[in-house]
Amino acid sequence: MAADEVRDLLLACAQHTLSSLRPLRICNIRIIGSLDLSHLRLARDLDLSGCTISGGLILTGTTVGSVELSGTEMDSFLAAGARIGGDLVLHQARIGQANQYGPRSAAQEFRRRTGDQVQTPIRTPDRDVVAPVNLTSARIEGDIVLSDVTIHTGEKWALYAPRLQASGSLIANRLRATGGISLWEAKLANSIVFDGAEVGEVDASIVTVNGGFFAAYGFIASGPVDLLAMQAGNIVTFHDADLRGSPTSANLTRLTTSRLRLDTRAAPSGRLILRDARVSSLVDAVAAWPADGDLDVEGLNYDRIGATESLTARERIGWLTRDPEVSAASFERLAAHYQSAGDERSARTVRLARERHLLRRRHLAGRVWGWIQDALFGYGFVPTRALLWLTAMVGTGGWWFSGHPVRPLKQNEHPTWDPFVYALDLVVPVVDLGQEKAWDPVGTDKLVAMALVVAGWLLATAVVAGARRLLTRA
């Protein structure tokens, strides 16, 4: 049947007042040409399920009830600005022609780097975008069902839906698209579900979903996944996903959600950007960690962080330092996580690692002093090390002076000779035990005594610096 005949038939049915509650239903027929229903006001549901349309279905600016297109085959589905009063269902639909288009690789030429080293997409004006499924600024009062849909295209976008609004969810389980998905500035009352889907890139920046964003259980993205400034009420999950985009696999800058799962099937092929993201709970897996240099956690804020396996604080530090520009604040955020969980030892381990990491950025004199503080007192985070050094110094000095007694300054006025107390008096600079001033070492004994005094001052200075650091933090 010709597309014009189908259009006339639908319009005639729409004007038939006796059947105003019945849907406009024409199923399982072949329609020749593009079916143009643009800018019409159809006060009924539309059902074209099972049809084969040699051209496209055009609902641009159309007002209609629910739209049922399950099993429909067509070249394109254009519904920019449409007002759909119920669900939009394209379950098992086939859009585009596989014999005309091949799969498109990730289009990195469409990306730019901002001043804070975050890559963002360069967006083409809506009027210049060609996509087989176009839902630009559409408003849908129900769910959008794209489960088991196949979309073939040689263009950048397979589904182009910026500023889409839906009162339900976008359900795209097992979607197969050779192009990308654009949902920029979309608003959905429930969730976005791409479980098991295989698509190009995804641009879901500035999207608001009251439910969650699900790209899990076999989800594959051959291009970058951009969730810049997304607000998801419950969860954003990439559990068992495969992120193949390069040089950026996922950009979650300024993402806000309650729970974020990054336990992907394998390590991302490119960068994982979590800059300024705000999450209550973050879960990942060691096998899903990006390569060294491919992680950006600057400004990442979380209340809890965990993995699918048990990790030590040192292992988690290894994840953190995969960001080559990691700041002291990122270490402190991790330490605060351990401290709030009551794990003071892990918190100290992280703060010690922070000092060691920051040491690399100092000038030579600062690095030398840092090495001394680390060796003597662990920057204040390993206080037992200072006691061990004190014991070692006093023991070494006492052992030496046991075999090399020192002559007194005054023959008749001196305390009883005790080599270990004498060594203790040399090492501890702020305590006067009356031994250091009573004896007069010479030669090698004097060199040993001076070494103990210098070591004692270094130890005391390191202890004071570490204590000040801890007190300042408290």
Side-chain angles (χ1 to χ4, degrees):
M1 182 178 291
D4 289 343
E5 294 177 321
V6 174
R7 182 179 186 274
D8 293 341
L9 180 59
L10 290 172
L11 289 177
C13 292
Q15 294 171 2
H16 199 293
T17 57
L18 296 180
S19 56
S20 60
L21 298 180
R22 297 180 181 178
L24 303 174
R25 180 178 290 117
I26 299 177
C27 301
N28 302 310
I29 67 169
R30 179 175 180 81
I31 301 174
I32 301 172
S34 293
L35 180 57
D36 188 351
L37 303 177
S38 59
H39 304 291
L40 295 179
R41 290 185 174 273
L42 305 175
R44 305 192 197 174
D45 297 341
L46 177 65
D47 186 354
L48 298 174
S49 57
C51 291
T52 300
I53 305 175
S54 63
L57 174 59
I58 305 173
L59 297 180
T60 302
T62 301
T63 300
V64 66
S66 62
V67 177
E68 175 65 59
L69 299 171
S70 292
T72 298
E73 296 186 18
M74 52 191 148
D75 283 352
S76 61
F77 176 64
L78 308 179
R83 298 295 181 264
I84 298 176
D87 296 336
L88 170 60
V89 182
L90 293 98
H91 176 64
Q92 294 184 337
R94 297 178 64 85
I95 304 171
Q97 298 183 22
N99 60 347
Q100 291 185 0
Y101 305 111
R104 180 185 176 89
S105 60
Q108 293 303 323
E109 68 273 17
F110 292 100
R111 309 191 65 76
R112 65 185 174 189
R113 189 180 294 274
T114 62
D116 58 2
Q117 301 304 303
V118 175
Q119 286 187 333
T120 59
I122 298 177
R123 295 184 177 86
T124 305
D126 293 344
R127 64 180 179 275
D128 297 330
V129 173
V130 177
V133 179
N134 192 320
L135 296 174
T136 302
S137 300
R139 182 174 298 174
I140 298 168
E141 301 299 330
D143 293 328
I144 305 167
V145 181
L146 299 173
S147 56
D148 297 297
V149 169
T150 301
I151 306 175
H152 293 283
T153 182
E155 303 295 334
K156 178 181 180 181
W157 301 115
L159 168 61
Y160 188 71
R163 299 177 301 281
L164 170 70
Q165 295 185 43
S167 299
S169 297
L170 170 60
I171 304 170
N173 296 321
R174 300 171 301 281
L175 169 68
R176 296 292 181 269
T178 56
I181 308 296
S182 177
L183 300 171
W184 185 66
E185 277 194 335
K187 295 182 179 180
L188 293 98
N190 290 329
S191 299
I192 298 174
V193 184
F194 286 117
D195 289 349
E198 184 173 353
V199 300
E201 60 184 288
V202 176
D203 183 1
S205 301
I206 324 180
V207 165
T208 301
V209 289
N210 295 333
F213 179 87
F214 299 86
Y217 298 105
F219 170 80
I220 298 174
S222 59
V225 177
D226 290 316
L227 307 186
L228 283 79
M230 171 183 276
Q231 296 185 31
N234 296 329
I235 188 173
V236 172
T237 176
F238 293 96
H239 171 69
D240 193 39
D242 191 354
L243 304 179
R244 301 176 180 177
S246 179
T248 298
S249 290
N251 188 347
L252 312 186
T253 299
R254 297 188 302 279
L255 169 71
T256 301
T257 189
S258 295
R259 184 173 175 83
L260 173 61
R261 291 199 64 166
L262 294 172
D263 50 337
T264 52
R265 179 176 298 179
S269 299
R271 298 183 72 204
L272 174 61
I273 303 174
L274 302 174
R275 182 175 288 250
D276 296 324
R278 297 288 185 271
V279 301
S280 298
S281 176
L282 171 61
V283 178
D284 62 9
V286 174
W289 289 356
D292 288 342
D294 281 345
L295 180 65
D296 185 346
V297 295
E298 181 63 30
L300 171 63
N301 195 303
Y302 49 85
D303 296 326
R304 297 182 305 279
I305 186 171
T308 54
E309 57 266 76
S310 179
L311 296 181
T312 65
R314 294 187 184 279
E315 289 172 321
R316 180 54 71 179
I317 291 168
W319 166 80
L320 195 63
T321 53
R322 295 190 180 211
D323 181 352
E325 302 297 329
V326 62
S327 66
S330 297
F331 281 95
E332 189 59 34
R333 178 64 263 163
L334 181 59
H337 154 72
Y338 284 117
Q339 192 163 0
S340 64
D343 190 349
E344 292 288 345
R345 176 173 294 182
S346 293
R348 289 195 300 270
T349 299
V350 173
R351 286 173 174 140
L352 175 57
R354 177 197 61 191
E355 297 297 333
R356 289 172 174 169
H357 182 79
L358 295 179
L359 182 64
R360 304 172 186 174
R361 305 177 184 178
R362 299 176 186 171
H363 51 75
L364 180 59
R367 289 200 298 271
V368 171
W369 175 232
W371 292 330
I372 292 173
Q373 291 186 78
D374 192 3
L376 295 180
F377 196 44
Y379 293 100
F381 301 111
V382 192
T384 55
R385 188 177 297 173
L387 180 60
L388 292 175
W389 275 110
L390 177 63
T391 303
M393 293 175 187
V394 172
T396 301
W399 168 80
W400 173 265
F401 290 117
S402 294
H404 303 80
V406 180
R407 67 183 181 181
L409 283 172
K410 298 180 180 180
Q411 292 296 329
N412 299 325
E413 298 180 14
H414 60 79
T416 303
W417 169 249
D418 189 320
F420 289 96
V421 176
Y422 178 62
L424 179 62
D425 202 7
L426 292 172
V427 171
V428 181
V430 295
V431 177
D432 185 3
L433 301 179
Q435 290 283 336
E436 181 180 359
K437 298 178 181 179
W439 308 98
D440 183 23
V442 295
T444 305
D445 293 340
K446 190 167 187 175
L447 292 177
V448 174
M450 291 178 62
L452 290 175
V453 170
V454 171
W457 274 107
L458 285 175
L459 179 61
T461 305
V463 168
V464 170
R468 184 190 305 170
R469 186 179 292 105
L470 294 177
L471 290 174
T472 301
R473 182 173 299 105

